[in-house]
Amino acid sequence: MAPPAAKRPAQLHFRDIVERVMAKTEEDSKAHQVFRSYPGHNRAQRGSRHPNADEDTLPGIVSPGSTGVIYCTDRAMANGFTYTDPEWANLGQGAPETGPLPDAPPRPQSVSFTIDSLEYGPTTGVKELREAVANLYNVLHRKDKESKYTADNVCIVPGGRAGLTRVAAVIGDVYTAYQIPDYTAYSEMLSVFKRLVPIPTALEADKMYNLDIEQVKKDIHGQGLQVILASNPRNPTGQVIEGEELASLVALSRGKTTVILDEFYSWQVEQLQKCTINWC
């Protein structure tokens, strides 16, 4: 008599696997536990005026926590990531440094500075640099426009968050709209400045998280929005506002609404599309 055949395990459908993962609580997830262990990530302390004695060592100082690529890079380094290790690839920031490029001109190895250049610079950036940036935008986007940009239309900042913070600092006592999902720094930055009132709007998954311009118009009138902040291309979905849709969004700024477009990733779009997604 032959022994009974071994019973094959039931094959799980991908949906079943997802449901099993989603059914877990944070207590069952090591990744969540590591996240909560970071300063500023304790759920019980979020939104509290009283710092967590276990996390903060200075009276009245609260850790802002870390999100997005900052947290991911920190965790990667804790697991052995370095920028020089060929076994790792930084997909969060794009890893723009590739080393010497074949057939490319040699890179400068040193820069000379004059004595006066060591003084404090203008808060908006050196005028010559601002003029060069204005001219670049005029050449790329405003050849057929009567008005041209000048240095007065340009401000040089050391990074995206610094630039957005300077913008938020001049927003008055108004309702300021941003979308979810979008760049994680928006909600953090807007919550710091107490004059403005941040108004988040949840984008719909069945619409591929596209920004609905008609809905934005309704929100302007229904909620009294005076400032709209949005990224283009969208971060993190990659959706692009372009063509007539972009023109309609920009047209809102000709009324009583200021539109702030964060075009940080516009240069990564294919060359043929650049002219259609930049609102300049």
Side-chain angles (χ1 to χ4, degrees):
M1 185 174 181
K7 187 177 181 180
R8 298 181 61 183
Q11 186 173 4
L12 289 177
H13 190 276
F14 178 72
R15 179 183 58 194
D16 300 323
I17 299 175
V18 173
E19 288 179 349
R20 285 190 179 185
V21 173
M22 293 179 65
K24 291 184 177 181
T25 64
E26 288 194 7
E27 286 71 20
D28 301 319
S29 170
K30 182 179 179 181
H32 278 87
Q33 293 172 16
V34 172
F35 179 82
R36 294 299 182 196
S37 69
Y38 269 58
H41 293 184
N42 189 326
R43 174 176 289 174
Q45 294 296 326
R46 294 184 65 182
S48 173
R49 295 184 178 182
H50 304 288
N52 187 342
D54 296 332
E55 294 182 353
D56 302 283
T57 58
L58 297 176
I61 304 300
V62 180
S63 174
S66 59
T67 59
V69 69
I70 297 175
Y71 174 75
C72 291
T73 303
D74 191 25
R75 290 301 307 146
M77 287 182 171
N79 286 276
F81 165 71
T82 65
Y83 288 99
T84 58
D85 189 344
E87 297 297 320
W88 287 79
N90 183 354
L91 301 181
Q93 292 173 304
E97 178 53 58
T98 61
L101 299 176
D103 302 322
R107 294 182 175 184
Q109 299 296 316
S110 62
V111 179
S112 299
F113 295 96
T114 60
I115 294 297
D116 61 309
S117 67
L118 302 179
E119 298 288 349
Y120 283 116
T123 56
T124 55
V126 177
K127 185 177 181 180
E128 291 80 3
L129 177 57
R130 290 188 286 122
E131 289 176 339
V133 172
N135 182 64
L136 173 65
Y137 274 76
N138 289 333
V139 170
L140 293 178
H141 306 294
R142 304 189 67 81
K143 285 184 177 181
D144 58 342
K145 307 292 184 181
E146 293 185 6
S147 64
K148 304 293 183 182
Y149 287 144
T150 68
D152 292 337
N153 300 113
V154 178
C155 178
I156 305 299
V157 294
R161 287 176 181 257
L164 290 168
T165 300
R166 295 197 67 176
V167 170
V170 298
I171 298 177
D173 305 322
V174 298
Y175 292 118
T176 303
Y178 68 100
Q179 299 80 45
I180 299 175
D182 211 327
Y183 183 30
T184 56
Y186 293 165
S187 59
E188 300 168 5
M189 172 195 67
L190 295 177
S191 65
V192 171
F193 295 88
K194 301 304 181 183
R195 287 192 307 178
L196 59 85
V197 180
I199 305 293
T201 300
L203 302 180
E204 299 179 16
D206 58 353
K207 294 183 179 179
M208 301 297 291
Y209 300 106
N210 279 307
L211 182 64
D212 189 333
I213 304 300
E214 294 304 315
Q215 183 60 48
V216 171
K217 293 178 181 179
K218 295 178 182 178
D219 292 340
I220 290 175
H221 295 288
Q223 302 180 28
L225 304 178
Q226 287 189 264
V227 175
I228 296 175
L229 172 61
S231 61
N232 188 40
R234 310 285 294 163
N235 178 6
T237 63
Q239 297 288 355
V240 175
I241 309 170
E242 58 182 327
E244 295 183 2
E245 187 179 29
L246 178 60
S248 298
L249 178 61
V250 174
L252 299 177
S253 63
R254 299 189 178 97
K256 296 182 179 181
T257 303
T258 296
V259 179
I260 302 172
L261 284 182
D262 178 2
E263 298 176 339
F264 191 89
Y265 294 102
S266 63
W267 300 101
Q268 298 184 9
V269 178
E270 291 293 334
Q271 183 69 35
L272 292 177
Q273 291 182 299
K274 284 182 180 178
C275 59
T276 65
I277 70 167
N278 195 299
W279 81 325
C280 297

